[in-house]
Amino acid sequence: MNASDLPVANNTPVCYSIKSPPFNFNPSVTSIYFSAIFMALGLPSNLIAFIVLFKSFQRTCSRSRSFFLIFLGGLVVTDFMGLLVTGSIVVSFYVTHFNWRQIDPNCHFCNFMGMSMVFYGLCPLLLSATMAVERFIGINHPFARSTSMPKSRTVSMVLMVWLIAGCIALLPLTGLGSYHIQMPGSWCFFNISSEGKDMAFSLIFSLVGLVCIAVSFLLNTVSVVTLIKVCCGQDRTQRRRDHEVEMMVQLILIMIIASVCWCPLLVFIAKTVLSGGPLRIKYLLLWLRFATWNQILDPWVYILFRRAVFKRVYPRLDWSRGSIMSLYPSFGETVRRFTRASLKSSLGSDETEETEKSNVTAKSALKLEPPPP
């Protein structure tokens, strides 16, 4: 049933045209526990992470590191606000058991929550993909990014990601899809249907998320391979990139958490609308709660996986690249064998190019040399 194509009959708002409260259900105690626990864990975690990032941003001297911290700050703010906005509505419903049709007869509040669910769901995935692109350029093409690029441009990129997610969330209000109240009556989300415009918006939401995860995986893989070649190669004149390694470790963990938490929900939505089968609300709630863990686990990546924390846990261990590789000589030898061919080929091509240039210069000098008297 495509609600976005239906006329509003009998003055029934669109968000109540398929399911209309109050619902006949027995609210279990575990339902409010889920939302309350998510908020209790997620809000303090993101707040702590924001403080840690702010202090790191003040101390950092690396321009690339400061860019990365700005992206992380945008991700923390997004996760914090997502838990605060959506969680407070759900918890309020379980505490007061309000009737949506009485407090929101025109669907404004329901549309706001539906937009919040879409916006705060897509933002972390879009930001992760943007961070992967930034790290890919910073590691693989360091000279393509100007060293004098202002930090305000990175802030503009974060704002652009929020704008894109906001525009996608506004699509149901323009007629492409529709927001509806969902069982058990505590939240609103877009109508997951296999017909018409509702199907189009469901696929847009699902495919945007899956494409972001795929882009993050591809670019992070290339960046890690390049970073291994730089850090573990035979060329001893390469500058140390400990901060690059730290950023890549954090970015990979963010990607893994987002993939594990969001892929089940995104695949479930795409599979439901493409198969044409009925929506199984039980699995929708399960995968939605699974996706919420992304906003809870993300901040602990920034809190725990830092060199400063590792140095406090193991103060006697030197966390430089040489000492770490000396702990695992077999791994270091394997990496060197893996990178030797590419490094030799690149060095060989450079030497050949320099030899050819010197030969051409010598020949031209001989030609220009005047004959002896």
Side-chain angles (χ1 to χ4, degrees), residues 316-347:
R316 297 181 180 180
L317 184 61
D318 182 13
W319 289 96
S320 63
R321 176 175 58 90
S323 64
I324 293 176
M325 296 306 297
S326 64
L327 292 176
Y328 304 97
S330 59
F331 174 74
E333 186 62 28
T334 303
V335 171
R336 289 190 182 94
R337 285 201 210 104
F338 175 73
T339 59
R340 187 175 295 137
S342 59
L343 288 171
K344 282 185 176 181
S345 62
S346 60
L347 292 174

Side-chain angles (χ1 to χ4, degrees), residues 12 62 94 119 133 166 192 205 226 303:
T12 301
S62 171
Y94 283 114
F119 176 81
V133 173
I192 303 175
F205 179 84
T226 304
I303 296 172

Side-chain angles (χ1 to χ4, degrees), residues 167-222:
C167 291
I168 295 175
L170 285 172
L171 289 178
L173 301 186
T174 64
L176 184 61
S178 56
Y179 291 120
H180 286 261
I181 191 167
Q182 305 289 335
M183 291 288 293
S186 58
W187 60 299
C188 289
F189 201 47
F190 60 86
N191 185 35
I192 303 175
S193 173
S194 58
E195 298 180 3
K197 296 178 181 179
D198 287 333
M199 177 181 180
F201 184 78
S202 300
L203 290 177
I204 288 174
F205 179 84
S206 180
L207 292 179
V208 168
L210 291 174
V211 168
C212 289
I213 293 174
V215 169
S216 299
F217 179 82
L218 177 62
L219 296 184
N220 288 336
T221 302
V222 176

Side-chain angles (χ1 to χ4, degrees), residues 16 20 38 63 101 118 128 132 154 219 302 311 315 329 343 352 354 369:
Y16 306 127
S20 182
F38 287 157
R63 183 171 292 272
R101 297 207 63 166
V118 173
S128 298
T154 308
L219 296 184
Y302 334 132
K311 288 179 181 179
L343 288 171
T352 304
E354 291 178 0
E369 184 179 355

Side-chain angles (χ1 to χ4, degrees), residues 306-320:
R306 295 179 294 126
R307 282 183 298 160
V309 175
F310 291 146
K311 288 179 181 179
R312 290 182 181 180
V313 176
Y314 299 102
R316 297 181 180 180
L317 184 61
D318 182 13
W319 289 96
S320 63

